[in-house]
């Protein structure tokens, strides 16, 4: 009888141990996720694409993982971030036009579930380091209210890298607390310190989602001089400083991955790296040999440098040529983490689960990507540049009502400062960045509008051969599909700035909610 009791007791203990083991294994099946989003990084700004800028950490991770060779983001910052956070095209969130400016009284709509929020629901620790740029005019819109346990960085779209001010007012917070003691300290260094702190004190048994939204390489173009001097072989000051900023970005990628390795998290970490949009030549960012710039639907504006790295991938050292969009990471990462989301909250998700496409080379579930619909309204008074419309279906890409931009070649590859942007010889290396931006905006506004153009991107990634007259049936079919998306669009949220925002920010000494 005693023997039977011992046997039963032993069996119960074994069941408890097995159950505990299953629970641990289940938790470990949730990968740590490191998502690094570069800001305004150009196609030819990384060694991976033939750049002379030094990016060994980015290149090494990309080559050891899966390079996303047919991956798209958005033409500017806010729409790309909104698509990542919600899995929706900007036309379905109201973020399809321009970016959120500091005094704009709106943000990413509150009725959308967010990626960090859904990951937190299944046990993840969620942290944002760097740039938010999805609105903060009311407290419910700030990152700690949108799914992040912690948020360290700035809420606007750009600011000085050293004094951390926008329009003369500091924009830097740790959670909701203002951070005002960083004057003179380069932002990216501070972001890396924060990540090292997060990783050092993280409990390895809890899955981690760390969203590193870099400030580099967005203007203002600033870098410590020792990094700029590395690129003395480039005969254009703006490009040299920009190259220094890329160098710092790459160094940060190396230091962040080292923090994960030192903590013992790296083998269980899925790393994603991409950029929100293309580079801007007036600020030293180039997309050669792709056509166009940031703010445009040409490949140079929306084709994103990206890769995925991690031991959970079933292949490495590979290229993924399937169609992918930044919105795809919303369902992909939530599903990979064992989470759930409402596919119709409040409207259907546009992203696809593309894990098998990336990990094992399966065909992409995507057959098309809506690049954007931002149509010129003759009666419109919205600020910013209208991007027009763009749709990719298979290899074909239709553009409608887009600024007719050109190709910009960086100086170290034999190019020159963009001739199209010269204004009676007024631009020099010392030209103020606000003047440069105004000249770039004016160039896009006056470049003329291309009503309809069709390209085979697989055969012609540089968009040099317009096929719209040769393939009218393809144009007709893609226009019909564009009409479908037009009919599903919501109105843009942009209504103009609120003058009280800056007044209140100056009074408080910090940017923050004002309504």
């Amino acid at each position: 009888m005693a023997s039977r009791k011992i046997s039963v007791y032993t069996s119960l203990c074994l069941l408890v141990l097995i159950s505990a083991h299953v629970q641990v294994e289940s938790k470990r099946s949730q990968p740590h996720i490191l998502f690094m989003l570069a800001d305004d990084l150009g196609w030819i700004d990384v060694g991976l694409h033939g750049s002379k800028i030094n990016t060994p950490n980015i290149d090494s991770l990309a080559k050891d993982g899966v390079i996303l060779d047919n991956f798209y983001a958005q033409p500017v910052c806010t729409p790309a971030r909104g698509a990542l956070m919600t899995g929706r095209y900007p036309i379905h969130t109201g973020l399809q036009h321009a970016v959120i400016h500091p005094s704009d009284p709106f943000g990413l709509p509150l009725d959308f579930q967010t990626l960090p929020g859904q990951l937190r629901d299944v046990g993840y620790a969620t942290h944002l380091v760097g740039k938010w740029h999805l609105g903060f005019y009311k407290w419910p819109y700030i990152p700690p209210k949108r799914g992040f346990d912690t948020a360290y960085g700035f809420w606007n779209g750009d600011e000085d890298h050293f004094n951390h001010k926008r329009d003369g007012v500091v924009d830097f917070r740790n959670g909701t607390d203002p951070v005002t003691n960083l004057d003179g300290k380069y932002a990216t260094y501070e972001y890396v310190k924060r990540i090292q702190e997060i990783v050092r004190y993280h409990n390895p048994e809890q899955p981690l989602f760390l969203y590193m939204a870099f400030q580099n390489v967005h203007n203002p173009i600033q870098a410590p001089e020792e990094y700029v001097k590395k690129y003395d072989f480039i005969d254009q000051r703006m490009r040299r400083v920009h190259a220094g900023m890329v160098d710092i970005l790459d160094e940060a990628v190396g230091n962040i991955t080292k923090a994960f390795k030192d903590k013992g998290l790296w083998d269980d970490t899925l790393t994603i790296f991409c950029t929100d949009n293309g580079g801007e030549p007036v600020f030293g960012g180039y997309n050669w040999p792709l056509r166009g710039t940031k703010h445009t639907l040409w490949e140079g504006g929306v084709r994103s440098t990206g890769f995925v790295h991690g031991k959970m991938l079933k292949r490495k050292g590979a290229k993924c040529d399937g169609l992918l969009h930044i919105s795809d990471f919303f369902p992909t990462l939530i599903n990979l983490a064992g989470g759930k989301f409402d596919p119709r909250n409040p409207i259907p998700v546009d992203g696809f689960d593309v894990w098998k496409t990336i990990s094992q080379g399966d065909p992409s579930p995507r057959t098309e990507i809506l690049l954007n619909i931002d149509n010129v309204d003759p009666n419109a008074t919205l600020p910013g540049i209208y991007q027009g419309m763009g749709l990719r279906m298979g290899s074909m890409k239709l553009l409608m009502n887009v600024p007719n931009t050109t190709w910009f070649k960086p100086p170290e590859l034999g190019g020159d400062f963009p001739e199209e942007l010269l204004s009676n010889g007024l631009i020099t290396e010392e030209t103020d960045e606000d003047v440069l931006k105004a000249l770039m905006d004016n160039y896009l506004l006056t470049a003329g509008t291309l009503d309809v153009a069709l390209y085979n991107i697989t055969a012609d990634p540089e968009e040099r051969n317009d096929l719209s007259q040769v393939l009218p049936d393809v144009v007709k079919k893609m226009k019909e599909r564009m009409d479908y998306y037009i009919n599903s669009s919501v109105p843009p949220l942009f209504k103009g700035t609120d003058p009280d925002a800056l007044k209140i920010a100056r009074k408080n000494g910090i940017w923050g909610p004002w309504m």
Side-chain angles (χ1 to χ4, degrees), residues 197-427:
E197 180 183 43
I198 290 171
V199 172
R200 185 182 305 120
Y201 294 105
H202 180 71
N203 176 5
E205 294 303 311
Q206 182 180 19
L208 170 65
F209 173 62
L210 205 161
Y211 174 38
M212 174 67 252
F214 284 105
Q215 188 170 348
N216 284 31
V217 291
H218 199 291
N219 67 292
I221 304 305
Q222 299 168 316
E225 197 60 30
E226 61 265 30
Y227 289 89
V228 181
K229 288 180 179 177
K230 292 183 180 183
Y231 299 95
D232 281 346
F233 62 88
I234 300 176
D235 64 2
Q236 184 195 109
R237 171 72 184 177
M238 186 71 76
R239 180 65 171 169
R240 285 199 301 276
V241 181
H242 176 90
M245 295 176 76
V246 176
D247 200 299
I248 293 169
L249 169 69
D250 184 79
E251 181 182 275
V253 169
N255 287 332
I256 291 167
T257 56
K258 182 178 184 300
F260 275 74
K261 292 173 183 177
D262 290 347
K263 181 68 174 183
L265 303 179
W266 186 243
D267 287 350
D268 297 316
T269 297
L270 180 70
T271 299
I272 300 108
F273 177 95
C274 65
T275 183
D276 56 351
N277 46 251
E280 216 169 354
V282 290
F283 296 129
Y286 288 79
N287 306 302
W288 181 263
L290 303 180
R291 186 174 181 175
T293 71
K294 175 185 177 178
H295 298 289
T296 76
L297 295 173
W298 298 96
E299 292 292 282
V302 293
R303 189 102 167 247
S304 172
T305 296
F307 67 81
V308 177
H309 180 281
K311 291 196 173 181
M312 57 287 301
L313 292 166
K314 292 187 178 179
R315 58 177 182 157
K316 66 177 185 177
K319 280 189 177 182
C320 176
D321 59 5
L323 285 179
L324 304 175
H325 184 256
I326 193 168
S327 64
D328 296 334
F329 284 120
F330 178 85
T332 300
L333 295 179
I334 292 172
N335 288 341
L336 198 62
K340 294 181 180 179
F341 59 91
D342 184 346
R344 301 186 65 86
N345 171 52
I347 58 177
V349 168
D350 295 304
F352 289 81
D353 185 336
V354 293
W355 176 244
K356 289 184 178 179
T357 302
I358 295 171
S359 177
Q360 58 195 48
D362 285 10
S364 174
R366 276 194 172 277
T367 58
E368 64 184 31
I369 296 174
L370 177 70
L371 300 173
N372 203 19
I373 296 173
D374 182 32
N375 237 350
V376 178
D377 180 348
N379 301 312
T381 58
L382 298 182
I385 299 159
Y386 285 91
Q387 301 149 24
M389 299 185 285
L391 175 65
R392 177 88 189 259
M393 290 181 66
S395 292
M396 307 307 293
K397 178 179 174 182
L398 179 71
L399 294 173
M400 300 172 64
N401 303 324
V402 298
N404 191 12
T405 55
T406 185
W407 299 261
F408 299 104
K409 193 174 186 179
E412 70 272 19
L413 296 182
D416 198 355
F417 198 87
E419 292 291 336
E420 293 81 358
L421 304 181
L422 293 176
S423 178
N424 300 319
L426 295 179
I427 294 180

Side-chain angles (χ1 to χ4, degrees), residues 122-138:
V122 290
Y124 275 75
T126 59
H127 303 277
L128 163 63
V129 178
K131 171 176 171 175
W132 174 234
H133 208 188
L134 285 171
F136 60 85
Y137 80 111
K138 292 182 179 179

Side-chain angles (χ1 to χ4, degrees), residues 4 24 77 102 123 176 236 321 346 373 412 419 456-457 459 463:
R4 178 177 292 180
V24 170
C77 308
T176 58
Q236 184 195 109
D321 59 5
I373 296 173
E412 70 272 19
E419 292 291 336
N456 183 326
I457 298 301
E463 296 173 299

